[in-house]
Amino acid sequence: MTIDRALPHTADNLLLTGAAAGTRVQLQAIEKSFGGTRVLHGVDLDIAPGEFVSLLGPSGCGKTTALRVLAGLESADGGTVLLGGRDVSRVPTQRRDIGMVFQSYSLFPHLSVVDNTAFGLRRRGIRRAPAARRALDALELVGLGHLADRYPHQLSGGQQQRVALARALVTEPRVLLLDEPLSALDARVRVQLRDEIRRLQLRLGITTVFVTHDQEEALAVSDRIAVMDAGRIEQIGTPEELYLRPRTPVVAAFVGLSSAVPAVATGDAVTVWGATLARLGTGETGPVTALLRPENVRIEAVSPAPGAAAPGIEGEVEESTFLGSFRRTVVRTTGGDIVHVQHDVADRYEYGQRVRLTLAEVAVAVRPAA
C-alpha cells in the first residue's frame, strides 16, 4: 500500500514514498493531567502510513505521556486516539496491535533470546514451534540469529536492545513505538542502532513514533519531528524545516546549536551587531535576543594595526575545537556574549586571540530579551 498523498509526509523522501503498508496514526485534542497538574494541553498529531515521526523535547515536556496515551498505557482525560481511522481511545493496549520498545530492555532473564523474542507470539496462543521460527526470522532481521540460544546476561547492552526490537517487530504490529530506546547505550552503539532502526523501518514500511530528548537522533532518523514544550507541540515539520525555519523561539533554541546575543527587532527585520537581517516569524519589537546558528557567523583575525571601523563585533577566542570536517570556535564578544562559530578546519584561532565576528545574510530567529 502506498502513502495517501493527501496525508502529511516528507514529499522528497523517495524511500518513504515507495514504502509498503503502514497505518495512519492520529491524536486529536489529547488532554492529560496527573494529580491536578495538566501535562498535555490539547495535543494534535497526524502521522501518515509508513512515516517515522519523533517527539522531541526536554524532560517533562509531555512526549512520553503522549506516547503512553497512544499505546493505551495511560488513558487520556479528553480527546481521541485513532489507528487506521478507528477510535481506539478505550481499547486496551494488548488489542491495539502495536509494538513497543522501552528505554530499559525489559527482557526476561530466565528466558533465552529466542524465547524472549517469541514471548508476545506465545501470549497470542501461537504454538511453540511456529513461534520459535518466527522469532528466529525476527532475530535475523536485527542481526542476532546466531545468538538465539544465549541469555540476556550474555549479551551487550546494544544486543539486548536489538532483542527488544525484534520482540516488538515479531508480532507484525501496525505501529512501532520507541520510548528513548537508545539512552542507556554508549555513543558509538547508539549511532549504530539508531541507523539500524531507521533502515528496518524503511524496509518494513511500519508507522513509527520515536520519543527522544536528543535532537541529533531526531534529526538523523525522522521524516518529521514534533517539538514539544510544556505539554504542547510547538512545531511539527521535517528536520530541515525545523532547523532552517523555526516558527517559535522554543524551536529555534532547542533544535540545533544557537548563540543568544542582544538585538533590536522591527516588524520583519532584526538588527544584530549593526547589520539588519530578515527576521524569522513575527512578534514583539524593540530589544530582543537573536539566536545565531554557528554556521552563519563569520570569523576573522583582527589586525593589530589600527584601521577604519569595520562591521561586526570584536571579541577574544575562548576555545577552538577540531571536529573532523569543520572546526568550532567559541568567542567572548566585547559585550560579554558567548558566540559559537563553525568554520573551515584550515582556519585556526588560538586562545586569547582577537577576532571579529560578522553575520551571513540569512534570516534570524529571535525571542524576548532576557
Side-chain angles (χ1 to χ4, degrees):
M1 181 174 73
T2 58
I3 292 175
D4 183 346
R5 293 185 178 276
L7 298 179
H9 68 280
T10 306
D12 58 355
N13 188 331
L14 298 179
L15 289 171
L16 175 62
T17 304
T23 297
R24 186 179 187 179
V25 174
Q26 296 166 279
L27 299 179
Q28 298 178 340
I30 297 297
E31 304 275 350
K32 180 64 180 177
S33 298
F34 291 110
T37 300
R38 183 68 59 85
V39 295
L40 293 179
H41 301 263
V43 170
D44 291 301
L45 188 61
D46 194 346
I47 303 174
E51 192 175 21
F52 193 122
V53 169
S54 291
L55 304 182
L56 174 67
S59 297
C61 71
K63 56 188 185 296
T64 292
T65 300
L67 191 80
R68 290 177 63 84
V69 168
L70 174 55
L73 298 173
E74 299 285 354
S75 58
D77 299 329
T80 305
V81 179
L82 298 172
L83 295 182
R86 176 189 172 212
D87 186 350
V88 297
S89 304
R90 293 174 176 80
V91 174
T93 301
Q94 64 271 22
R95 292 176 54 198
R96 294 195 183 190
D97 196 13
I98 59 172
M100 193 160 185
V101 180
F102 299 92
Q103 177 179 343
S104 59
Y105 314 130
S106 302
L107 301 180
F108 299 106
H110 63 288
L111 296 181
S112 67
V113 165
V114 68
D115 287 336
N116 263 287
T117 306
F119 183 80
L121 296 173
R122 296 287 288 145
R123 288 289 300 270
R124 295 184 180 202
I126 297 176
R127 290 178 297 175
R128 184 176 183 84
R133 284 196 298 271
R134 287 175 59 179
L136 284 171
D137 289 341
L139 288 169
E140 289 291 345
L141 193 65
V142 299
L144 291 182
H146 62 295
L147 300 180
D149 293 329
R150 292 194 183 181
Y151 286 82
H153 73 275
Q154 297 174 305
L155 305 180
S156 68
Q159 289 170 335
Q160 290 186 58
Q161 197 61 295
R162 282 185 173 86
V163 175
L165 179 60
R167 182 178 59 188
L169 293 173
V170 73
T171 58
E172 300 178 1
R174 293 191 297 166
V175 179
L176 178 64
L177 307 181
L178 304 164
D179 187 10
E180 303 216 37
L182 309 177
S183 57
L185 305 175
D186 65 56
R188 182 178 61 83
V189 175
R190 287 180 72 161
V191 172
Q192 290 176 344
L193 191 51
R194 176 195 78 189
D195 294 343
E196 189 168 327
I197 287 171
R198 179 54 164 158
R199 285 193 296 269
L200 283 171
Q201 186 269 337
L202 287 168
R203 174 178 172 180
L204 299 173
I206 186 171
T207 307
T208 300
V209 184
F210 180 66
V211 163
T212 181
H213 64 273
D214 189 317
Q215 57 169 299
E216 181 179 334
E217 285 180 359
L219 292 170
V221 300
S222 306
D223 294 305
R224 290 188 302 151
I225 301 169
V227 179
M228 296 189 66
D229 184 62
R232 295 179 174 86
I233 293 180
E234 288 279 321
Q235 183 178 350
I236 182 166
T238 66
E240 295 84 357
E241 288 169 345
L242 295 179
Y243 188 86
L244 298 174
R245 296 183 295 279
R247 294 178 187 166
T248 71
V250 169
V251 177
F254 193 80
V255 178
L257 175 64
S258 295
S259 302
V261 302
V264 177
T266 58
D268 58 359
V270 58
T271 301
V272 189
W273 303 337
T276 300
L277 304 169
R279 171 180 177 170
L280 286 170
T282 59
E284 64 181 78
T285 59
V288 295
T289 296
L291 301 172
L292 309 178
R293 299 294 193 196
E295 66 272 20
N296 295 331
V297 183
R298 305 290 181 257
I299 184 172
E300 63 179 0
V302 173
S303 171
I313 191 170
E314 290 190 10
E316 288 190 355
V317 172
E318 294 267 305
E319 62 178 272
S320 189
T321 307
F322 174 72
L323 295 173
S325 59
F326 63 91
R327 186 179 292 275
R328 183 167 291 149
T329 297
V330 179
V331 176
R332 182 180 295 275
T333 70
T334 52
D337 302 306
I338 297 296
V339 179
H340 299 263
V341 188
Q342 187 171 303
H343 56 89
D344 191 276
V345 294
D347 300 326
R348 300 192 60 170
Y349 298 93
E350 304 298 331
Y351 172 78
Q353 183 177 357
R354 295 290 296 178
V355 294
R356 177 172 293 279
L357 304 180
T358 55
L359 296 173
E361 294 185 6
V362 297
V364 174
V366 303
R367 69 185 184 201

